[in-house]
Amino acid sequence: MVERACRVCGHVTEGKKCEVCGSEDLSTKWKGMIEVIDPEHSKVAVDLKITKPGKYALLVE
Ligand SMILES: [Zn+2]
């Protein structure tokens, strides 16, 4: 299964649609990934404006 990253919010998904923001603008070209488990208490998540748990790409082309 190819993992794609959402160009809108950076969420990494195996589906055809981003489960976080609902966008279908997904890219197969992305770099770096963080897994957010508790967005409200993660500094990285706050810095990246991530509000929902999941896997996120750091850079989406
Ligand atoms: Zn998204």
Side-chain angles (χ1 to χ4, degrees):
M1 205 46 142
V2 179
E3 289 188 311
R4 297 167 212 265
C6 173
R7 287 199 176 94
V8 178
C9 70
H11 177 62
V12 174
T13 177
E14 291 182 352
K16 290 183 177 175
K17 192 175 169 183
C18 174
E19 292 99 355
V20 172
C21 72
S23 169
E24 291 180 19
D25 189 8
L26 309 176
S27 172
T28 53
K29 290 187 176 179
W30 52 273
K31 286 175 187 166
M33 184 167 69
I34 58 160
E35 184 153 18
V36 175
I37 293 157
D38 186 359
E40 284 175 33
H41 298 100
S42 162
K43 189 186 182 303
V44 181
V46 172
D47 287 348
L48 295 175
K49 297 185 174 66
I50 292 168
T51 56
K52 294 185 182 179
K55 291 190 276 186
Y56 291 84
L58 295 177
L59 185 80
V60 185
E61 285 182 30

